[in-house]
Amino acid sequence: MTYTHGGNVYEIGRTLGIKGSELKDFSANINPLGLCENVRAAMIKAIDKITKYPDITYYEVKKAICDYDNLDLENLILGNGAAEVIFNVTRAIKPKKALIPAPTFSEYEDACKSVDCNVQYYFLNKENNFHLEEDFLNKINEDIDILFICNPNNPTGVLTEKSFIEKVLKKAEEKSVYVVVDESFLDFVKNGQEYSVLDQCENFKNLIVIKSATKFFAVPGIRIGYGYSKNNDFLNKINKITVPWSINTIACDGLVVALKEKDYIEKTIDFIDYEKEYLYTNLKSIDKIEPLKPAVNFIMFKVNNDINLYDELLKENIVIRRCGNYKSLSDNYYRVAVRTREENDILTANLKRIMEAK
C-alpha cells in the first residue's frame, strides 16, 4: 500500500476487511475534541441552500475569516483545503526553482513539480532537533523564485521563531523571492499569535501566508483553507487561475459559525497544550523510542531498533503515520497525533507491550 498522507482509514479498512470507523486513527492531525455541535447544526441547516450556487464572492465566509484573523477582505484567497491554496499559489507564480526544507509537508514539492519547477532542499538536522538554522539564509539567492516554510513544521512539530522568519523575509525580498509560510497548525499552539507572520504581509509584499480551517475545527471532510497576501500583482495572477465555486455552501456556513466559537477554540488550545505533554512524557518512558518534543498536536519519534511499528500497531487496529517517505527521514521515524486521554493511553500501552516483546 502506498502512503503519502495520514488519515487514509478507508483504504486501510478495505485492505484489512474492516470498517474504517473501527480503526483508531493517530495518523491524521485533527482536533481530538471532534466537531463542535453548533458547527454541526449550521452545516446541517446549510443543506437547504444547496439547490443554489454558493455566493461566487464568498463574502460572508471571507468576512468571518478576516474578523477572526484581523485581515483585509480584498487580500484573502480561498481554496478547497489548504492543499488547493498551495497548488493555486504555485500555479499562479509559476516558479522555475524552489527552496524547500526537508522533511516537511509533501504538497509543497508536489505543487512545484506540477509546474515543472526544480526543487532545492534544505535538509533539517536531527542533531539540531530539525530546526531551521542560520545557514538557511545562505540558500536564498537570485536563482530561487519561491521558498516554503511550514510553521509549526509537519511532521517534526517544530516551531520557527518569528524573528527568524523575518530574517528570511528580508533576505528573500532583496533577492525577489516569494516566501510561503504555512501556518495550518499554528492555531493549536498556545500563544500561537506570537509566531504568526500574518501581520508582516503589510511590510513584505513577497509574503504569502496559508492556513487550514479543517484541522483545528475537525472538519477535514468538508475542505476549506485560505491564503493571505498584500501583493496585488500576485493576487491578480491567482484570481486568473482559481476555479470559481471551489468551496461548497456547507463548508462556508460551517466555518462562519466555527470561527465564532470562542469556548471551543480556547478549550481546544488548553486541551492540546496539556495532552501533548502527557503523551510526550509517556513516549519518552518507552525503551528505544525517541520522541521529538512537540509544540503542536502531533509528535514525531524515532524507533531505535529494527521493527515495523506500523504493521505491529495495525494488528491492534491502530494507525500511525509512517515517515519514511519524507525527504531525509528513514523508515524508523513515525508520527502520531495527540488524541483523547483514553486513546493516548491505548496507544502507549500497545507501544510498551510491542517494544518490550522486541
Side-chain angles (χ1 to χ4, degrees):
M1 185 188 305
T2 59
Y3 59 100
T4 56
H5 294 289
N8 195 7
V9 293
Y10 301 111
E11 183 182 5
I12 295 169
R14 285 193 297 270
T15 302
L16 297 178
I18 63 175
K19 295 178 180 179
S21 58
E22 296 178 32
L23 295 166
K24 296 177 182 66
D25 186 15
F26 287 85
S27 70
N29 308 316
I30 307 302
N31 190 335
L33 298 187
L35 181 60
C36 174
E37 286 305 315
N38 288 340
V39 176
R40 183 193 303 273
M43 291 193 293
I44 292 171
K45 187 176 179 181
I47 292 175
D48 293 336
K49 299 181 181 180
I50 64 173
T51 55
K52 296 180 181 179
Y53 283 101
D55 173 9
I56 199 167
T57 70
Y58 289 111
Y59 175 79
E60 292 296 334
V61 69
K62 282 186 173 183
K63 186 177 184 303
I65 292 168
C66 290
D67 289 345
Y68 180 74
D69 275 328
N70 193 27
L71 306 176
D72 295 323
L73 191 142
E74 65 269 19
N75 298 101
L76 191 72
I77 55 177
L78 296 181
N80 193 250
E84 183 178 72
V85 180
I86 292 165
F87 271 79
N88 284 347
V89 166
T90 309
R91 289 168 179 168
I93 294 172
K94 297 180 181 176
K96 298 299 182 185
K97 191 170 185 178
L99 175 62
I100 302 177
T104 196
F105 188 45
S106 62
E107 295 298 323
Y108 312 141
E109 178 182 358
D110 292 343
C112 288
K113 290 185 175 180
S114 75
V115 294
D116 297 321
C117 173
N118 181 40
V119 175
Q120 177 181 329
Y121 304 100
Y122 174 86
F123 292 102
L124 302 170
N125 197 319
K126 179 180 181 293
E127 286 65 36
N128 293 321
N129 291 319
F130 297 97
H131 281 91
L132 283 170
E133 300 293 321
E134 288 289 326
D135 62 343
F136 180 72
L137 299 171
N138 299 331
K139 302 292 184 182
I140 305 170
N141 55 54
E142 292 85 355
D143 293 336
I144 302 296
D145 300 304
I146 192 170
L147 68 86
F148 293 82
I149 296 175
C150 186
N151 194 32
N153 191 27
N154 179 11
T156 63
V158 171
L159 268 170
T160 301
E161 293 290 338
K162 182 175 181 176
S163 58
F164 183 79
I165 298 179
E166 288 171 347
K167 289 182 183 179
V168 171
L169 287 166
K170 290 175 183 176
K171 179 69 178 291
E173 185 180 52
E174 292 171 6
K175 304 299 180 181
S176 299
V177 178
Y178 280 102
V179 178
V180 179
V181 179
D182 184 349
E183 298 184 352
S184 288
F185 289 101
L186 197 54
D187 285 339
F188 286 102
V189 178
K190 201 151 199 168
N191 302 319
Q193 288 304 309
E194 296 177 8
Y195 295 87
S196 177
V197 291
L198 269 171
D199 63 342
Q200 291 301 308
C201 288
E202 190 70 47
N203 301 322
F204 295 96
K205 299 303 184 283
N206 59 327
L207 172 61
I208 302 160
V209 179
I210 293 175
K211 295 187 70 172
S212 167
T214 56
K215 298 174 180 67
F216 187 89
F217 293 108
V219 287
I222 67 169
R223 315 301 305 137
I224 187 166
Y226 53 99
Y228 191 75
S229 173
K230 285 282 192 171
N231 187 319
N232 289 328
D233 181 57
F234 162 72
L235 292 170
N236 288 333
K237 288 179 179 177
I238 204 163
N239 285 334
K240 290 179 181 178
I241 60 92
T242 299
V243 176
W245 300 302
S246 63
I247 315 298
N248 67 70
T249 298
I250 294 173
C252 289
D253 283 21
L255 185 57
V256 167
V257 172
L259 293 171
K260 297 175 183 176
E261 292 295 316
K262 292 182 179 180
D263 288 345
Y264 174 91
I265 292 168
E266 291 174 4
K267 185 178 179 181
T268 294
I269 294 169
D270 289 340
F271 181 89
I272 294 298
D273 190 56
Y274 186 82
E275 200 64 29
K276 77 177 191 296
E277 293 299 328
Y278 176 81
L279 181 57
Y280 171 69
T281 300
N282 281 349
L283 291 175
K284 274 186 69 177
S285 72
I286 302 174
D287 188 39
K288 296 183 180 179
I289 286 184
E290 185 181 353
L292 192 65
K293 189 168 178 60
V296 72
N297 62 321
F298 53 86
I299 302 174
M300 187 178 80
F301 61 88
K302 183 181 180 184
V303 176
N304 293 317
N305 70 357
D306 186 20
I307 182 175
N308 187 330
L309 194 56
Y310 178 89
D311 284 352
E312 291 296 324
L313 286 170
L314 203 56
K315 294 175 184 177
E316 306 300 323
N317 290 352
I318 297 172
V319 184
I320 63 175
R321 175 68 160 91
R322 296 177 285 186
C323 293
N325 68 316
Y326 282 99
K327 284 279 189 305
S328 84
L329 293 183
S330 58
D331 287 339
N332 56 341
Y333 280 93
Y334 300 89
R335 187 196 71 200
V336 293
V338 176
R339 300 296 306 160
T340 64
R341 175 60 58 89
E342 179 184 2
E343 291 171 310
N344 293 336
D345 283 343
I346 290 172
L347 173 67
T348 52
N350 278 279
L351 283 172
K352 286 179 180 178
R353 176 185 55 77
I354 291 167
M355 298 307 293
E356 287 171 0
K358 299 295 179 179

